Amino acid sequence: MIFFQKMAQEPIDTNCMTLTRWILAEQKKYAPTGTGDFTQLLASLQTAVKAVSAAVRRAGISDMFGVAGNVNVQGEEVKKLDVLANELFINMLRKILKFCHHIYQENDNEIEVETERQGKYIVTFDPLDGSSNIDCLVSIGSIFAIFKKPHDEPLAPGDALQSGRQIIAAGYALYGSATMMVLSAGHGVNGFMLDPSIGEFVLSDPDMKIKPRGKIYSINEGYEEKWEPAVKEYVKSKKMGTPYGSRYIGSMVADVHRTLKYGGIFMYPATVDSPKGKLRVLYECMPMAYIMEQAGGMASTGTKPILDIVPTSLHQRSPIFLGSKDDVEEILEVIAKHAAK
Ligand code: P6P
């Protein structure tokens, strides 16, 4: 009863900074003469996330769990929620498709975009990352990055294959104990919590920065025998002396968000079975690397910054080591030491 009384007395902030207001303020601050297309794009992504969040929260009741019966371009089972999340993102973007062209995880190639409707942005996204965790109610997420079209001509195949340094905005949504959007448009990182009572994302984590060093390492230890020696040596070192804590959720968005909030390192290295790593460059590694760098952290392939990659294929994968600068630099030193042998 005390809890509910407290909730009832919670004052409503009548001047809260919502994501919608923040997007408009960003446009006013950084693109006062802009056409508003970028603002519309971010607003549409916000709407897609709200729709996916509602679907995720309702999945168990609406029989949305379970397998949709087909497989995605990586040969992985696609679950019903995956299909729905895909359609929601596409339809929310399609409404403004004249501004953008998008690539996402589930399909072999880019979305076909009618030439007369092509706009000036390319959006790469993973509509529902961590889907193997859907049925057991573990946090899952959506990830996106926004690039500018590289020329004014109609889009050509491969126009999305740009360096991560060309990203103009990126972020993720986490469907956890609450739904949160974390994004950057190149001027720092801000976190917005979805307030179901008003249906708006409200600024809850302004100007997010990651600690220079954390006390948590995150990696799937089940693959230890398949790691390169440098990764084995580094992980072993985290268990010596004053050990780090080990946390691994198996949903990239959840593991990265915890790393951003608490510091430390998230790793998905190459293994014998996945010599290029598992996580996809365009719609998992690059967006998360952009957020990490904007928050004062690092994200590396093990030999170079993730954002320096120029992908040669849409679903290209990369090893990734991201998080607190000191932690990432520490494993890079071990990797370099082994490479020099
Ligand atoms: P593993 C989820 O399937 C995902 O793509 C990422 O969200 C996550 O970080 C990774 O794969 C987990 O992979 O091999 O540890 O189950």
Side-chain angles (χ1 to χ4, degrees), residues 129-130 220 223 248 250-252 266 268 278-280 284:
D129 184 80
N220 187 334
Y223 302 142
Y248 190 74
S251 270
M252 184 185 197
F266 168 76
Y268 204 108
K278 173 182 182 181
L279 300 178
R280 292 79 167 184
E284 289 174 314

Side-chain angles (χ1 to χ4, degrees), residues 31-162:
T33 58
T35 59
D37 293 354
F38 182 63
T39 297
Q40 275 196 56
L41 178 52
L42 285 180
S44 295
L45 283 167
Q46 175 186 192
T47 305
V49 166
K50 286 180 184 176
V52 172
S53 178
V56 167
R57 306 291 173 204
R58 209 176 44 241
I61 300 161
S62 319
D63 187 26
M64 291 303 294
F65 288 152
V67 173
N70 51 342
V71 295
N72 68 12
V73 66
Q74 273 84 26
E76 297 160 342
E77 274 182 346
V78 176
K79 296 194 178 257
K80 292 178 185 175
L81 262 180
D82 271 340
V83 176
L84 181 71
N86 235 1
E87 289 169 8
L88 286 167
F89 266 79
I90 293 168
N91 293 336
M92 293 303 140
L93 290 172
R94 195 181 290 281
K95 289 186 192 325
I96 56 150
L97 194 58
K98 64 181 184 308
F99 303 124
C100 72
H101 169 56
H102 33 289
I103 292 89
Y104 52 101
Q105 173 175 356
E106 305 307 338
N107 281 37
D108 287 328
N109 301 303
E110 297 104 304
I111 287 258
E112 287 310 311
V113 180
E114 304 81 48
T115 310
E116 67 282 357
R117 286 165 50 85
Q118 288 186 6
K120 52 190 173 189
Y121 300 110
I122 292 173
V123 181
T124 62
F125 60 88
D126 185 353
L128 204 58
D129 184 80
S131 50
S132 56
N133 291 301
I134 289 176
D135 294 3
C136 61
L137 302 184
V138 166
S139 301
I140 48 184
S142 305
I143 313 171
F144 66 89
I146 301 171
F147 298 80
K148 272 196 170 170
K149 245 174 77 175
H151 48 66
D152 292 332
E153 303 307 312
L155 276 169
D159 279 341
L161 302 179
Q162 301 181 34

Side-chain angles (χ1 to χ4, degrees), residues 53 57 177-179 193-202:
S53 178
R57 306 291 173 204
S177 52
T179 292
M193 202 78 83
L194 181 60
D195 179 344
S197 66
I198 58 172
E200 283 284 356
F201 281 99
V202 177

Side-chain angles (χ1 to χ4, degrees), residues 172 182 188-191 205-218 234 244 253-267 288-300 321-329:
Y172 59 82
V182 173
V189 177
N190 290 287
D205 295 64
D207 193 24
M208 298 177 82
K209 294 294 180 198
I210 187 170
K211 292 174 187 168
R213 178 178 285 275
K215 296 177 182 167
I216 297 171
Y217 76 89
S218 181
Y234 172 78
Y244 273 36
V253 175
D255 281 316
V256 170
H257 188 64
R258 183 205 54 250
T259 304
L260 177 60
K261 290 286 288 184
Y262 298 164
I265 185 168
F266 168 76
M267 299 167 276
M288 294 310 202
Y290 185 82
I291 290 289
M292 276 298 150
E293 289 199 4
Q294 285 287 322
M298 278 181 81
S300 173
F321 305 86
L322 68 76
S324 296
K325 196 182 278 263
D326 293 356
D327 290 307
V328 175
E329 284 175 343

Side-chain angles (χ1 to χ4, degrees), residues 169-183:
Y172 59 82
L174 175 61
Y175 312 109
S177 52
T179 292
M180 183 163 194
M181 280 191 82
V182 173
L183 72 161

